Amino acid sequence: LDKVNPLFWLVVLSTAGLVEIRTLSSDNDGKEESLWDPLGLYPISGSERKQIEADEINNGRLVMLAFVGFGAQEFMTNTGIVNNLMKYLLPHQS
């Protein structure tokens, strides 16, 4: 992270902050119309919504397990995950 320009982080955090402030300051009363769904992918029926929400939770859990695996791999090999991946993708190069 020390190689990333601090200006990048300033822009990222400022943008995220502005989006959060805009969301919190909007006058929604927890209505479903207030969901951010620019592509219109969130289903209308209640049963489809429950299925989509359960799928999202399960995908989030899978991602958390993957990150634990990445961390364990880096800890065990003392090599970054991208470098380990390159060993398998390009085995004849050093």
Side-chain angles (χ1 to χ4, degrees):
L1 291 175
D2 58 339
K3 296 179 183 177
V4 178
N5 188 341
L7 183 60
F8 169 79
W9 293 115
L10 179 67
V11 170
V12 167
L13 294 175
S14 298
T15 304
L18 288 173
V19 168
E20 287 296 324
I21 289 171
R22 182 173 174 237
T23 302
L24 292 174
S25 65
S26 65
D27 56 346
N28 58 19
D29 298 326
K31 298 177 185 173
E32 295 169 356
E33 296 88 29
S34 66
L35 291 173
W36 188 71
D37 187 21
L39 299 177
L41 299 175
Y42 196 63
I44 295 174
S45 74
S47 63
E48 288 178 351
R49 286 184 179 189
K50 287 182 181 180
Q51 180 63 40
I52 290 291
E53 290 168 359
D55 290 345
E56 286 294 323
I57 289 172
N58 289 333
N59 288 336
R61 291 175 179 159
L62 181 63
V63 168
M64 286 187 272
L65 286 174
F67 270 91
V68 168
F70 290 155
Q73 180 182 6
E74 283 194 27
F75 178 76
M76 297 300 287
T77 63
N78 289 330
T79 307
I81 56 171
V82 174
N83 293 335
N84 278 331
L85 178 64
M86 288 300 135
K87 286 182 194 176
Y88 293 107
L89 294 178
L90 307 169
H92 299 295
Q93 297 179 0
S94 51

Coordinates of all heavy atoms in Angstrom, one line a residue:
L1 N 0.8 -1.2 0.0 CA 0.0 0.0 0.0 C 0.9 1.3 0.0 O 0.4 2.3 -0.4 CB -0.9 0.0 1.2 CG -2.0 -1.0 1.2 CD1 -2.8 -1.0 2.5 CD2 -3.0 -0.8 0.1
D2 N 2.1 1.1 0.4 CA 2.9 2.3 0.5 C 3.3 2.8 -0.9 O 3.8 3.9 -1.1 CB 4.2 2.1 1.3 CG 5.0 0.9 0.8 OD1 4.5 0.1 0.1 OD2 6.2 0.9 1.2
K3 N 3.1 2.0 -1.9 CA 3.5 2.4 -3.3 C 2.3 3.1 -4.0 O 2.5 3.6 -5.1 CB 3.9 1.2 -4.1 CG 5.1 0.5 -3.6 CD 5.4 -0.7 -4.4 CE 6.7 -1.4 -3.9 NZ 7.0 -2.7 -4.6
V4 N 1.1 3.1 -3.4 CA 0.0 3.8 -4.0 C 0.0 5.2 -3.6 O 0.2 5.6 -2.5 CB -1.3 3.1 -3.5 CG1 -2.5 3.8 -4.0 CG2 -1.3 1.6 -3.8
N5 N -0.3 6.1 -4.6 CA -0.3 7.5 -4.4 C -1.4 7.9 -3.4 O -2.5 7.5 -3.5 CB -0.6 8.2 -5.8 CG -0.4 9.7 -5.7 OD1 -0.4 10.3 -4.7 ND2 -0.2 10.3 -6.9
P6 N -1.0 8.7 -2.4 CA -2.0 9.1 -1.4 C -3.2 9.8 -2.0 O -4.3 9.8 -1.4 CB -1.2 10.0 -0.4 CG 0.2 9.6 -0.6 CD 0.3 9.2 -2.0
L7 N -3.0 10.5 -3.1 CA -4.1 11.2 -3.8 C -5.2 10.2 -4.2 O -6.4 10.5 -4.1 CB -3.6 12.0 -5.0 CG -4.6 12.8 -5.7 CD1 -5.2 13.9 -4.8 CD2 -3.9 13.5 -6.9
F8 N -4.8 9.0 -4.6 CA -5.7 8.0 -5.0 C -6.7 7.7 -3.8 O -7.9 7.6 -3.9 CB -5.0 6.7 -5.4 CG -5.9 5.5 -5.6 CD1 -6.7 5.4 -6.7 CD2 -6.0 4.5 -4.6 CE1 -7.6 4.3 -6.8 CE2 -6.8 3.4 -4.7 CZ -7.6 3.3 -5.8
W9 N -6.1 7.5 -2.6 CA -6.9 7.2 -1.4 C -7.8 8.3 -1.0 O -8.9 8.1 -0.6 CB -6.0 6.8 -0.2 CG -5.3 5.5 -0.5 CD1 -3.9 5.3 -0.6 CD2 -5.9 4.2 -0.7 NE1 -3.7 4.0 -0.9 CE2 -4.8 3.3 -0.9 CE3 -7.2 3.7 -0.7 CZ2 -5.1 1.9 -1.1 CZ3 -7.4 2.4 -0.9 CH2 -6.4 1.5 -1.1
L10 N -7.3 9.5 -1.2 CA -8.1 10.7 -0.9 C -9.3 10.7 -1.8 O -10.4 11.0 -1.3 CB -7.3 12.0 -1.1 CG -8.0 13.3 -0.9 CD1 -8.4 13.4 0.6 CD2 -7.2 14.5 -1.3
V11 N -9.1 10.5 -3.1 CA -10.3 10.5 -4.0 C -11.2 9.3 -3.7 O -12.5 9.5 -3.7 CB -9.8 10.3 -5.5 CG1 -10.9 10.1 -6.5 CG2 -9.0 11.6 -5.9
V12 N -10.7 8.1 -3.4 CA -11.6 7.0 -3.1 C -12.4 7.2 -1.9 O -13.6 7.0 -1.8 CB -10.7 5.7 -3.0 CG1 -11.5 4.6 -2.4 CG2 -10.2 5.3 -4.4
L13 N -11.7 7.6 -0.8 CA -12.4 7.9 0.5 C -13.4 9.0 0.4 O -14.5 9.0 1.0 CB -11.4 8.1 1.6 CG -10.6 6.8 1.9 CD1 -9.5 7.1 3.0 CD2 -11.5 5.7 2.4
S14 N -13.0 10.1 -0.4 CA -14.0 11.2 -0.5 C -15.2 10.8 -1.3 O -16.3 11.2 -0.9 CB -13.3 12.3 -1.3 OG -12.2 12.8 -0.5
T15 N -15.0 10.0 -2.4 CA -16.2 9.6 -3.1 C -17.1 8.7 -2.3 O -18.3 8.8 -2.3 CB -15.7 8.8 -4.4 OG1 -14.8 9.7 -5.2 CG2 -16.8 8.4 -5.3
A16 N -16.5 7.7 -1.6 CA -17.3 6.8 -0.7 C -18.0 7.6 0.3 O -19.2 7.4 0.6 CB -16.4 5.8 -0.1
G17 N -17.3 8.6 0.9 CA -18.0 9.5 1.9 C -19.1 10.3 1.4 O -20.2 10.4 2.0
L18 N -19.0 10.8 0.2 CA -20.0 11.6 -0.4 C -21.3 10.7 -0.8 O -22.4 11.1 -0.6 CB -19.5 12.3 -1.7 CG -18.6 13.4 -1.5 CD1 -18.0 13.9 -2.8 CD2 -19.3 14.6 -0.7
V19 N -21.0 9.5 -1.2 CA -22.1 8.6 -1.5 C -22.9 8.2 -0.2 O -24.1 8.2 -0.2 CB -21.6 7.3 -2.2 CG1 -22.7 6.2 -2.2 CG2 -21.1 7.6 -3.6
E20 N -22.1 8.0 0.9 CA -22.7 7.6 2.1 C -23.5 8.8 2.7 O -24.6 8.7 3.2 CB -21.7 7.2 3.1 CG -21.1 5.8 2.8 CD -22.2 4.7 2.9 OE1 -23.1 4.8 3.8 OE2 -22.1 3.8 2.1
I21 N -23.0 10.0 2.6 CA -23.7 11.2 3.1 C -24.9 11.4 2.3 O -26.0 11.7 2.9 CB -22.7 12.4 3.1 CG1 -21.6 12.3 4.1 CG2 -23.5 13.7 3.2 CD1 -20.6 13.3 4.0
R22 N -24.9 11.3 1.0 CA -26.0 11.5 0.2 C -27.1 10.4 0.5 O -28.3 10.7 0.6 CB -25.7 11.3 -1.3 CG -26.8 11.6 -2.2 CD -26.4 11.6 -3.7 NE -27.5 11.7 -4.5 CZ -27.8 10.8 -5.5 NH1 -27.0 9.8 -5.7 NH2 -28.9 10.9 -6.2
T23 N -26.7 9.2 0.7 CA -27.7 8.1 1.1 C -28.3 8.4 2.4 O -29.5 8.3 2.6 CB -27.0 6.8 1.1 OG1 -26.4 6.5 -0.2 CG2 -27.9 5.7 1.4
L24 N -27.5 8.8 3.4 CA -28.0 9.0 4.8 C -28.9 10.3 4.8 O -29.8 10.4 5.7 CB -26.9 9.1 5.8 CG -26.1 7.8 6.0 CD1 -24.9 8.1 6.9 CD2 -27.0 6.8 6.6
S25 N -28.6 11.3 4.0 CA -29.3 12.5 4.1 C -30.6 12.5 3.2 O -31.4 13.4 3.4 CB -28.5 13.7 3.7 OG -28.1 13.6 2.3
S26 N -30.8 11.5 2.4 CA -32.0 11.4 1.6 C -33.2 11.2 2.6 O -33.1 10.5 3.6 CB -31.9 10.4 0.5 OG -31.8 9.1 1.1
D27 N -34.4 11.6 2.1 CA -35.5 11.5 3.0 C -36.3 10.2 2.7 O -37.5 10.2 2.4 CB -36.4 12.7 2.9 CG -36.8 13.0 1.5 OD1 -36.3 12.4 0.6 OD2 -37.8 13.8 1.3
N28 N -35.6 9.1 2.9 CA -36.3 7.8 2.7 C -36.6 7.3 4.1 O -35.9 7.5 5.0 CB -35.5 6.8 1.9 CG -34.1 6.5 2.6 OD1 -33.9 6.8 3.8 ND2 -33.2 6.0 1.8
D29 N -37.8 6.7 4.2 CA -38.2 6.1 5.5 C -38.0 4.6 5.5 O -38.9 3.9 6.0 CB -39.6 6.5 5.8 CG -39.8 8.0 5.9 OD1 -38.9 8.6 6.4 OD2 -40.9 8.5 5.5
G30 N -36.9 4.1 4.9 CA -36.7 2.7 4.8 C -37.6 2.1 3.7 O -37.8 0.9 3.6
K31 N -38.1 2.9 2.8 CA -38.9 2.4 1.7 C -38.0 1.6 0.7 O -36.8 1.9 0.6 CB -39.6 3.6 1.0 CG -40.5 4.3 1.9 CD -41.1 5.5 1.1 CE -42.0 6.3 2.0 NZ -42.5 7.5 1.4
E32 N -38.6 0.7 0.0 CA -37.9 -0.1 -0.9 C -37.4 0.7 -2.1 O -36.5 0.4 -2.8 CB -38.7 -1.3 -1.4 CG -39.0 -2.2 -0.2 CD -40.0 -3.3 -0.5 OE1 -40.6 -3.2 -1.6 OE2 -40.3 -4.1 0.3
E33 N -38.1 1.8 -2.4 CA -37.7 2.6 -3.5 C -36.3 3.3 -3.3 O -35.7 3.8 -4.2 CB -38.7 3.7 -3.8 CG -40.1 3.2 -4.2 CD -41.0 2.9 -3.0 OE1 -40.8 3.6 -2.0 OE2 -41.8 2.0 -3.1
S34 N -35.9 3.3 -2.0 CA -34.7 4.0 -1.7 C -33.4 3.1 -2.0 O -32.3 3.6 -1.8 CB -34.7 4.4 -0.3 OG -34.7 3.3 0.6
L35 N -33.6 1.8 -2.4 CA -32.5 1.0 -2.6 C -31.8 1.5 -3.9 O -32.4 1.9 -4.8 CB -33.0 -0.5 -2.9 CG -33.5 -1.2 -1.7 CD1 -34.1 -2.5 -2.1 CD2 -32.4 -1.4 -0.7
W36 N -30.5 1.4 -3.8 CA -29.6 1.8 -5.0 C -29.6 0.6 -5.9 O -28.9 -0.4 -5.7 CB -28.2 2.2 -4.5 CG -27.4 2.8 -5.6 CD1 -27.6 4.0 -6.2 CD2 -26.3 2.2 -6.2 NE1 -26.7 4.2 -7.1 CE2 -25.9 3.1 -7.2 CE3 -25.6 1.0 -6.1 CZ2 -24.8 2.9 -8.0 CZ3 -24.5 0.8 -6.9 CH2 -24.1 1.7 -7.8
D37 N -30.3 0.7 -7.0 CA -30.4 -0.4 -8.0 C -30.5 0.2 -9.4 O -31.5 0.2 -10.0 CB -31.6 -1.3 -7.7 CG -31.7 -2.5 -8.6 OD1 -30.7 -2.9 -9.1 OD2 -32.8 -3.1 -8.8
P38 N -29.3 0.7 -9.9 CA -29.3 1.4 -11.1 C -29.7 0.6 -12.3 O -30.2 1.0 -13.4 CB -27.9 2.0 -11.3 CG -27.1 1.1 -10.4 CD -28.0 0.7 -9.3
L39 N -29.4 -0.7 -12.3 CA -29.7 -1.6 -13.4 C -31.1 -2.3 -13.3 O -31.5 -3.0 -14.2 CB -28.6 -2.7 -13.5 CG -27.2 -2.2 -13.8 CD1 -26.2 -3.3 -13.8 CD2 -27.2 -1.4 -15.1
G40 N -31.8 -2.1 -12.2 CA -33.1 -2.7 -12.0 C -33.1 -4.2 -11.9 O -34.0 -4.9 -12.3
L41 N -32.1 -4.7 -11.2 CA -31.9 -6.2 -11.0 C -32.6 -6.7 -9.8 O -32.8 -7.9 -9.7 CB -30.4 -6.5 -11.0 CG -29.6 -6.2 -12.3 CD1 -28.2 -6.5 -12.1 CD2 -30.2 -6.9 -13.5
Y42 N -32.9 -5.9 -8.9 CA -33.6 -6.3 -7.6 C -35.0 -6.8 -7.9 O -35.8 -6.0 -8.5 CB -33.5 -5.2 -6.6 CG -33.8 -5.7 -5.2 CD1 -32.9 -6.6 -4.5 CD2 -34.8 -5.2 -4.4 CE1 -33.1 -7.0 -3.3 CE2 -35.1 -5.6 -3.1 CZ -34.2 -6.5 -2.6 OH -34.4 -7.0 -1.3
P43 N -35.4 -8.0 -7.6 CA -36.7 -8.5 -8.0 C -37.8 -7.8 -7.2 O -37.7 -7.2 -6.2 CB -36.7 -10.0 -7.6 CG -35.4 -10.2 -7.0 CD -34.6 -9.0 -7.0
I44 N -39.0 -7.9 -7.8 CA -40.2 -7.2 -7.2 C -40.9 -8.1 -6.2 O -41.3 -7.7 -5.2 CB -41.2 -6.8 -8.4 CG1 -40.5 -5.7 -9.2 CG2 -42.5 -6.3 -7.8 CD1 -41.3 -5.3 -10.4
S45 N -41.0 -9.4 -6.5 CA -41.7 -10.3 -5.6 C -40.9 -10.6 -4.4 O -39.7 -10.7 -4.4 CB -42.1 -11.6 -6.4 OG -41.0 -12.4 -6.5
G46 N -41.6 -10.8 -3.3 CA -41.0 -11.1 -2.0 C -40.2 -12.4 -2.0 O -39.1 -12.4 -1.4
S47 N -40.7 -13.4 -2.6 CA -40.0 -14.7 -2.5 C -38.7 -14.6 -3.3 O -37.6 -15.2 -2.9 CB -40.8 -15.8 -3.1 OG -41.2 -15.6 -4.4
E48 N -38.7 -13.9 -4.5 CA -37.4 -13.7 -5.2 C -36.4 -12.9 -4.5 O -35.2 -13.1 -4.5 CB -37.8 -13.1 -6.6 CG -38.5 -14.1 -7.6 CD -38.8 -13.4 -8.9 OE1 -38.6 -12.2 -9.0 OE2 -39.2 -14.1 -9.8
R49 N -36.9 -11.9 -3.8 CA -36.1 -11.0 -3.0 C -35.4 -11.8 -1.9 O -34.2 -11.7 -1.6 CB -36.8 -9.9 -2.4 CG -37.2 -8.8 -3.3 CD -37.9 -7.7 -2.7 NE -38.2 -6.7 -3.7 CZ -38.6 -5.5 -3.4 NH1 -38.8 -5.1 -2.1 NH2 -38.9 -4.6 -4.4
K50 N -36.1 -12.7 -1.2 CA -35.5 -13.5 -0.1 C -34.5 -14.4 -0.7 O -33.4 -14.6 -0.1 CB -36.6 -14.3 0.6 CG -37.5 -13.4 1.5 CD -38.5 -14.3 2.2 CE -39.3 -13.4 3.1 NZ -40.3 -14.1 3.9
Q51 N -34.7 -15.0 -1.9 CA -33.7 -15.9 -2.5 C -32.5 -15.1 -2.9 O -31.4 -15.6 -2.6 CB -34.3 -16.5 -3.8 CG -33.4 -17.5 -4.5 CD -33.0 -18.6 -3.6 OE1 -33.8 -19.2 -2.9 NE2 -31.7 -19.0 -3.6
I52 N -32.6 -13.9 -3.5 CA -31.5 -13.1 -3.9 C -30.7 -12.7 -2.6 O -29.4 -12.7 -2.6 CB -32.0 -11.8 -4.6 CG1 -32.5 -12.2 -6.0 CG2 -30.9 -10.8 -4.8 CD1 -31.4 -12.7 -7.0
E53 N -31.4 -12.3 -1.6 CA -30.7 -11.9 -0.3 C -29.9 -13.1 0.3 O -28.8 -12.9 0.7 CB -31.7 -11.3 0.6 CG -32.2 -9.9 0.2 CD -33.4 -9.4 1.0 OE1 -33.8 -10.1 1.9 OE2 -33.8 -8.3 0.6
A54 N -30.5 -14.3 0.3 CA -29.8 -15.4 0.8 C -28.6 -15.8 -0.1 O -27.5 -16.1 0.5 CB -30.8 -16.6 0.8
D55 N -28.7 -15.7 -1.4 CA -27.6 -15.9 -2.3 C -26.5 -14.9 -2.0 O -25.3 -15.3 -2.0 CB -28.0 -15.8 -3.7 CG -28.9 -17.0 -4.2 OD1 -29.0 -18.0 -3.4 OD2 -29.6 -16.9 -5.2
E56 N -26.8 -13.7 -1.8 CA -25.8 -12.6 -1.5 C -25.0 -12.9 -0.2 O -23.8 -12.8 -0.1 CB -26.4 -11.3 -1.4 CG -26.8 -10.7 -2.8 CD -25.6 -10.4 -3.7 OE1 -24.5 -10.0 -3.1 OE2 -25.7 -10.7 -4.9
I57 N -25.8 -13.4 0.8 CA -25.1 -13.7 2.1 C -24.2 -14.9 1.9 O -23.1 -14.9 2.4 CB -26.2 -14.0 3.2 CG1 -26.9 -12.7 3.6 CG2 -25.6 -14.7 4.4 CD1 -28.1 -12.8 4.5
N58 N -24.7 -15.9 1.2 CA -23.8 -17.1 1.0 C -22.6 -16.7 0.1 O -21.5 -17.2 0.4 CB -24.6 -18.2 0.3 CG -25.6 -18.8 1.2 OD1 -25.4 -18.8 2.4 ND2 -26.7 -19.3 0.7
N59 N -22.7 -15.9 -0.9 CA -21.6 -15.5 -1.6 C -20.6 -14.7 -0.8 O -19.4 -14.8 -0.9 CB -22.0 -14.6 -2.9 CG -22.7 -15.5 -3.9 OD1 -22.4 -16.7 -4.0 ND2 -23.5 -14.8 -4.7
G60 N -21.1 -13.8 0.1 CA -20.2 -13.1 1.0 C -19.4 -14.0 1.9 O -18.3 -13.8 2.2
R61 N -20.1 -15.0 2.4 CA -19.4 -16.0 3.3 C -18.3 -16.7 2.5 O -17.2 -17.0 3.0 CB -20.4 -17.0 3.9 CG -21.3 -16.4 4.9 CD -22.4 -17.3 5.3 NE -23.3 -16.7 6.3 CZ -24.5 -17.1 6.6 NH1 -25.0 -18.1 6.0 NH2 -25.2 -16.5 7.5
L62 N -18.6 -17.1 1.3 CA -17.6 -17.8 0.4 C -16.4 -16.9 0.2 O -15.2 -17.3 0.3 CB -18.2 -18.2 -0.9 CG -17.3 -18.9 -1.9 CD1 -16.9 -20.3 -1.3 CD2 -18.1 -19.2 -3.2
V63 N -16.6 -15.6 0.0 CA -15.5 -14.7 -0.2 C -14.7 -14.5 1.0 O -13.5 -14.5 0.9 CB -16.1 -13.3 -0.7 CG1 -15.0 -12.2 -0.7 CG2 -16.6 -13.4 -2.1
M64 N -15.3 -14.5 2.2 CA -14.6 -14.4 3.4 C -13.7 -15.6 3.6 O -12.5 -15.5 4.0 CB -15.5 -14.2 4.6 CG -16.1 -12.9 4.7 SD -17.0 -12.6 6.2 CE -18.6 -13.2 5.7
L65 N -14.2 -16.8 3.3 CA -13.4 -18.0 3.4 C -12.2 -18.0 2.4 O -11.1 -18.4 2.7 CB -14.2 -19.3 3.1 CG -15.1 -19.7 4.3 CD1 -16.0 -20.8 3.8 CD2 -14.4 -20.0 5.5
A66 N -12.5 -17.5 1.2 CA -11.4 -17.3 0.2 C -10.3 -16.4 0.7 O -9.1 -16.7 0.5 CB -12.0 -16.8 -1.1
F67 N -10.6 -15.3 1.3 CA -9.6 -14.4 1.9 C -8.8 -15.0 3.0 O -7.6 -14.8 3.1 CB -10.3 -13.1 2.3 CG -10.3 -12.1 1.2 CD1 -11.4 -12.0 0.4 CD2 -9.2 -11.2 1.0 CE1 -11.5 -11.1 -0.7 CE2 -9.3 -10.3 -0.1 CZ -10.4 -10.3 -0.9
V68 N -9.5 -15.9 3.8 CA -8.8 -16.6 4.8 C -7.8 -17.5 4.2 O -6.6 -17.7 4.6 CB -9.7 -17.4 5.8 CG1 -9.0 -18.3 6.7 CG2 -10.5 -16.4 6.6
G69 N -8.2 -18.2 3.1 CA -7.3 -19.1 2.4 C -6.1 -18.3 1.8 O -5.0 -18.8 1.8
F70 N -6.4 -17.1 1.2 CA -5.3 -16.3 0.7 C -4.3 -15.9 1.8 O -3.1 -16.0 1.6 CB -5.8 -15.0 0.1 CG -6.6 -15.2 -1.2 CD1 -7.5 -14.3 -1.6 CD2 -6.3 -16.3 -2.0 CE1 -8.2 -14.4 -2.8 CE2 -7.1 -16.4 -3.2 CZ -8.0 -15.5 -3.6
G71 N -4.8 -15.5 2.9 CA -3.9 -15.2 4.0 C -3.1 -16.4 4.5 O -1.9 -16.2 4.8
A72 N -3.7 -17.5 4.6 CA -3.0 -18.7 5.0 C -1.9 -19.1 4.0 O -0.8 -19.5 4.4 CB -4.0 -19.9 5.2
Q73 N -2.2 -18.9 2.7 CA -1.2 -19.2 1.7 C 0.0 -18.3 1.8 O 1.1 -18.7 1.7 CB -1.9 -19.1 0.3 CG -0.9 -19.4 -0.8 CD -1.6 -19.2 -2.2 OE1 -2.7 -18.8 -2.3 NE2 -0.8 -19.6 -3.2
E74 N -0.3 -17.0 2.0 CA 0.8 -16.1 2.1 C 1.6 -16.4 3.4 O 2.8 -16.3 3.4 CB 0.3 -14.6 2.2 CG -0.1 -14.1 0.8 CD -0.3 -12.6 0.8 OE1 0.3 -11.9 1.6 OE2 -1.0 -12.1 0.0
F75 N 0.9 -16.7 4.5 CA 1.6 -17.0 5.7 C 2.5 -18.2 5.6 O 3.7 -18.3 6.1 CB 0.6 -17.2 6.9 CG 1.2 -17.6 8.2 CD1 1.9 -16.6 8.9 CD2 1.2 -18.9 8.7 CE1 2.5 -16.9 10.1 CE2 1.8 -19.2 9.9 CZ 2.4 -18.2 10.6
M76 N 2.0 -19.3 5.0 CA 2.7 -20.5 4.9 C 3.9 -20.5 3.9 O 4.9 -21.1 4.1 CB 1.8 -21.7 4.5 CG 0.7 -21.9 5.5 SD 1.3 -22.4 7.1 CE 1.9 -24.1 6.7
T77 N 3.7 -19.7 2.8 CA 4.7 -19.7 1.7 C 5.7 -18.5 1.8 O 6.7 -18.4 1.1 CB 4.1 -19.7 0.3 OG1 3.3 -18.6 0.2 CG2 3.3 -21.0 0.2
N78 N 5.3 -17.5 2.6 CA 6.0 -16.2 2.6 C 6.2 -15.6 1.3 O 7.1 -14.9 0.9 CB 7.4 -16.4 3.3 CG 7.3 -16.6 4.7 OD1 6.4 -16.2 5.4 ND2 8.3 -17.4 5.3
T79 N 5.2 -15.8 0.4 CA 5.1 -15.2 -0.9 C 3.7 -14.7 -1.2 O 2.7 -15.3 -0.7 CB 5.4 -16.3 -2.0 OG1 6.7 -16.9 -1.6 CG2 5.5 -15.7 -3.4
G80 N 3.6 -13.6 -1.9 CA 2.3 -13.0 -2.1 C 1.5 -13.9 -3.0 O 2.0 -14.8 -3.8
I81 N 0.2 -13.8 -2.9 CA -0.7 -14.7 -3.7 C -0.6 -14.5 -5.2 O -0.7 -15.5 -5.9 CB -2.2 -14.5 -3.2 CG1 -2.7 -13.1 -3.4 CG2 -2.4 -15.0 -1.9 CD1 -4.1 -12.9 -3.2
V82 N -0.3 -13.3 -5.6 CA -0.2 -13.1 -7.1 C 1.1 -13.8 -7.6 O 1.1 -14.4 -8.6 CB -0.1 -11.6 -7.4 CG1 0.2 -11.3 -8.9 CG2 -1.5 -10.9 -7.0
N83 N 2.2 -13.7 -6.8 CA 3.4 -14.4 -7.2 C 3.2 -15.9 -7.2 O 3.8 -16.6 -8.1 CB 4.6 -14.0 -6.2 CG 4.9 -12.5 -6.4 OD1 4.7 -11.9 -7.4 ND2 5.5 -11.9 -5.3
N84 N 2.5 -16.4 -6.2 CA 2.2 -17.9 -6.2 C 1.4 -18.2 -7.4 O 1.6 -19.3 -8.1 CB 1.5 -18.3 -5.0 CG 2.4 -18.5 -3.8 OD1 3.6 -18.8 -4.0 ND2 1.9 -18.2 -2.6
L85 N 0.4 -17.4 -7.8 CA -0.4 -17.7 -9.0 C 0.5 -17.7 -10.2 O 0.3 -18.6 -11.1 CB -1.5 -16.7 -9.1 CG -2.4 -16.8 -10.3 CD1 -3.2 -18.2 -10.2 CD2 -3.4 -15.7 -10.3
M86 N 1.4 -16.8 -10.3 CA 2.2 -16.7 -11.5 C 3.1 -18.0 -11.7 O 3.5 -18.4 -12.8 CB 3.1 -15.4 -11.5 CG 2.3 -14.2 -11.8 SD 1.5 -14.2 -13.4 CE -0.1 -13.6 -12.9
K87 N 3.5 -18.5 -10.5 CA 4.3 -19.8 -10.6 C 3.5 -20.9 -11.3 O 4.1 -21.7 -12.0 CB 4.7 -20.2 -9.2 CG 5.7 -19.4 -8.5 CD 6.0 -20.0 -7.1 CE 6.8 -19.1 -6.3 NZ 7.0 -19.6 -4.9
Y88 N 2.2 -20.9 -11.1 CA 1.4 -22.0 -11.7 C 1.0 -21.6 -13.1 O 0.9 -22.5 -14.0 CB 0.2 -22.3 -10.8 CG 0.5 -22.9 -9.5 CD1 0.4 -22.1 -8.4 CD2 1.0 -24.2 -9.4 CE1 0.8 -22.7 -7.1 CE2 1.3 -24.8 -8.2 CZ 1.2 -24.0 -7.1 OH 1.6 -24.6 -5.9
L89 N 0.8 -20.4 -13.4 CA 0.4 -20.0 -14.7 C 1.5 -19.9 -15.7 O 1.4 -20.3 -16.9 CB -0.3 -18.6 -14.7 CG -1.6 -18.5 -14.0 CD1 -2.2 -17.1 -14.0 CD2 -2.7 -19.5 -14.6
L90 N 2.7 -19.5 -15.2 CA 3.9 -19.4 -16.1 C 5.0 -20.3 -15.4 O 6.0 -19.7 -14.9 CB 4.3 -18.0 -16.2 CG 3.2 -17.0 -16.6 CD1 3.7 -15.6 -16.5 CD2 2.8 -17.3 -18.1
P91 N 4.9 -21.6 -15.4 CA 5.9 -22.4 -14.7 C 7.3 -22.4 -15.2 O 8.3 -22.6 -14.5 CB 5.3 -23.8 -14.8 CG 4.5 -23.8 -16.0 CD 3.9 -22.4 -16.1
H92 N 7.5 -22.0 -16.5 CA 8.8 -22.1 -17.1 C 9.6 -20.8 -17.0 O 10.7 -20.7 -17.4 CB 8.7 -22.5 -18.6 CG 8.1 -23.8 -18.8 ND1 8.7 -25.0 -18.3 CD2 6.9 -24.2 -19.3 CE1 7.9 -26.0 -18.6 NE2 6.9 -25.5 -19.2
Q93 N 9.0 -19.7 -16.4 CA 9.6 -18.5 -16.2 C 9.9 -18.3 -14.7 O 9.2 -18.8 -13.9 CB 8.7 -17.3 -16.7 CG 8.5 -17.4 -18.2 CD 7.6 -16.3 -18.6 OE1 7.2 -15.4 -17.8 NE2 7.3 -16.2 -19.9
S94 N 11.0 -17.6 -14.4 CA 11.3 -17.4 -13.0 C 11.1 -16.0 -12.6 O 10.9 -15.1 -13.3 CB 12.8 -17.8 -12.8 OG 13.6 -17.2 -13.7

